Amino acid sequence: MASNPSYEQRRVRTDDAVGTLKLIAAPERDGGVTVHQDSEIFLGLLRAGDSVVHKLQRGRHGWVQVIDGDISVNDVDLAAGDGAAVSDEAELRLRAKTAAHCLLFDLA
């Protein structure tokens, strides 16, 4: 059964997202905006030197979009405006080279 197109707006608290990946959107989950897709979206607010790891379940894919700053994803350097698609990996290892903001999409 298909869902009707819709959108939701919600202010996201970011004070508890520093140094971590905070879930901001997912299908029918508390704490985030609801999306009608098999995906989860996380916000990363990283300080220089912060490292975070996101595990990917078998058959899932990742997309990392850098909003600002410089990070590495599985040892590949990315800068503001860069995006990276990741498949066939068990985890995404993000390390901030400078203070950085990013989005991580966990996709089917």
Side-chain angles (χ1 to χ4, degrees), residues 21-68:
L21 294 170
K22 177 183 175 141
L23 181 69
I24 60 170
E28 308 205 13
R29 270 233 190 115
D30 292 333
V33 172
T34 300
V35 294
H36 300 287
Q37 298 289 324
D38 186 2
S39 63
E40 296 177 325
I41 304 171
F42 298 86
L43 171 65
L45 301 176
L46 306 176
R47 299 165 297 223
D50 282 348
S51 293
V52 294
V53 175
H54 178 77
K55 303 277 186 192
L56 288 174
Q57 298 297 317
R58 182 179 209 92
R60 295 195 62 87
H61 311 278
W63 178 270
V64 177
Q65 184 67 48
V66 182
I67 298 168
D68 62 34

Side-chain angles (χ1 to χ4, degrees), residues 5 7 56 67 70 77 93 95 108:
Y7 69 93
L56 288 174
I67 298 168
D70 298 301
D77 292 338
R93 297 176 315 281
R95 188 173 84 59

Side-chain angles (χ1 to χ4, degrees), residues 68-88:
D68 62 34
D70 298 301
I71 67 171
S72 66
V73 177
N74 293 8
D75 300 320
V76 174
D77 292 338
L78 301 173
D82 289 345
V86 181
S87 294
D88 301 321

